[in-house]
Structure formats: structure tokens, C-alpha cells
Amino acid sequence: MKIAIGCDHGGIVLKDAVLAELKGRGIEVKDMGCFDSSSVDYPDFALAVAEEVSSGRCEKGILMCGTGIGIAIAANKVKGIRCAVCHDVFTATMSAEHNNANILSMGGRVVSPALAVQMVRAWLDTPFGGGRHAGRVAKITAIEEKYFK
Ligand code: RB5
């Protein structure tokens, strides 16, 4: 599996721990930045990761900003992206099982690096539930088809 990862200065506190977890699992990581704590604009990193996932170059993505919110809003503007802002292991698990989220978003000012790692584990280890959830996700895709040009 190949995962794209990206963050802004608010999310960079989580990045090393998340990278170590992914590499420890033998997952190939495409790191789209940022690379230090200088102030940057989160939509740039959201777009870079979302394009990796939307194009199929990476199977999944992980984004981190201060809250996880702005970077997720931006990523969800890219066709085919289901980016979920999660705050704990439960929401990370549900985002995989119910929503088939292909990008996990977390806030460096919201969760600790240790919790972020637990959330990544839960998100990666939880399969999509399918069934009734597949129908609902298909309805999300139908909305996308209606409004994306
Ligand atoms: C940057 O200060 C902050 O606005 C950003 O990291 C994020 O929280 C936006 O949603």
C-alpha cells in the first residue's frame, strides 16, 4: 500500500509519529510536506495529497493541520475524496467502516502524537463495512457527479 501524507505548520507536531507508524508497517509513504514549522497555507498540502489519492497514485492519504478541519474541507473539493476529520479512535474507526474515508484528517492542536498513531492504526485496520454503508457512500458519489464539472 502507498499512502500520501501532508500537513501544515499546525499539524507538523503529529507528522513524525505518524510517519514512524507507517514506515514500521512497511507502508510506502509519499510525503508532500510541509517540512518545518514555518507558517504555510493548508490548502496547498490538502490539494497535493488529495490529487495523489484521486489519481490512484496513492491508495489513501493522511492530512494534519491545527484542527484537521481546514485541510479536510480543502481535500474534499477534489473529486473522489472522502476526507474525514477525526478526533479519537472511535471516529477514525467509523470513518473507515461506515464512510470508506480515503483520507484521514487530524488536528495537531487537538490530538496528541500518541493518540494520532492509535487513530491511524484503527483507520488502517478497519475494513469498509459495505452493505447499507455502500449505498450511502454511493449517494455521496452521486452528489459529486451532479455538482462536479
Ligand atoms: C493555521 O493556523 C490553522 O488555521 C490551520 O492549521 C488549521 O487549523 C485550519 O483549519
Side-chain angles (χ1 to χ4, degrees), residues 7-12 39-43 64-73 106-110:
C7 65
D8 75 354
H9 53 287
I12 201 159
S39 184
V40 289
D41 297 332
Y42 59 80
M64 297 153 287
C65 68
T67 58
I69 297 171
I71 209 160
I73 291 172
M106 300 177 287
R109 298 170 187 158
V110 181

Side-chain angles (χ1 to χ4, degrees), residues 1-2 10 14-16 26-27 29 40 46 48 51-52 68 71 73 78 87 91 114 118:
M1 186 196 297
K2 197 167 172 184
L14 303 179
K15 193 175 170 185
D16 284 348
I27 291 172
V29 177
V40 289
E51 284 182 338
E52 288 301 311
I71 209 160
I73 291 172
V78 175
H87 304 294
T91 50
Q118 288 179 25

Side-chain angles (χ1 to χ4, degrees), residues 32-81:
M32 311 304 289
C34 65
F35 298 103
D36 61 44
S37 57
S38 314
S39 184
V40 289
D41 297 332
Y42 59 80
D44 298 336
F45 303 93
L47 179 61
V49 167
E51 284 182 338
E52 288 301 311
V53 177
S54 178
S55 67
R57 289 191 291 273
C58 290
E59 199 175 325
K60 293 174 190 282
I62 297 176
L63 287 168
M64 297 153 287
C65 68
T67 58
I69 297 171
I71 209 160
I73 291 172
N76 278 315
K77 298 298 180 190
V78 175
K79 193 165 191 215
I81 296 304

Side-chain angles (χ1 to χ4, degrees), residues 86-143:
C86 297
H87 304 294
D88 49 32
V89 170
F90 177 72
T91 50
T93 303
M94 288 298 102
S95 78
E97 188 179 320
H98 286 200
N99 314 116
N100 202 13
N102 50 15
I103 301 184
L104 171 67
S105 182
M106 300 177 287
R109 298 170 187 158
V110 181
V111 302
S112 67
L115 178 54
V117 167
Q118 288 179 25
M119 291 164 65
V120 167
R121 284 183 189 146
W123 182 64
L124 290 177
D125 292 343
T126 303
F128 179 48
R132 68 187 189 281
H133 305 300
R136 292 163 187 163
V137 171
K139 288 192 175 190
I140 295 174
T141 304
I143 294 170

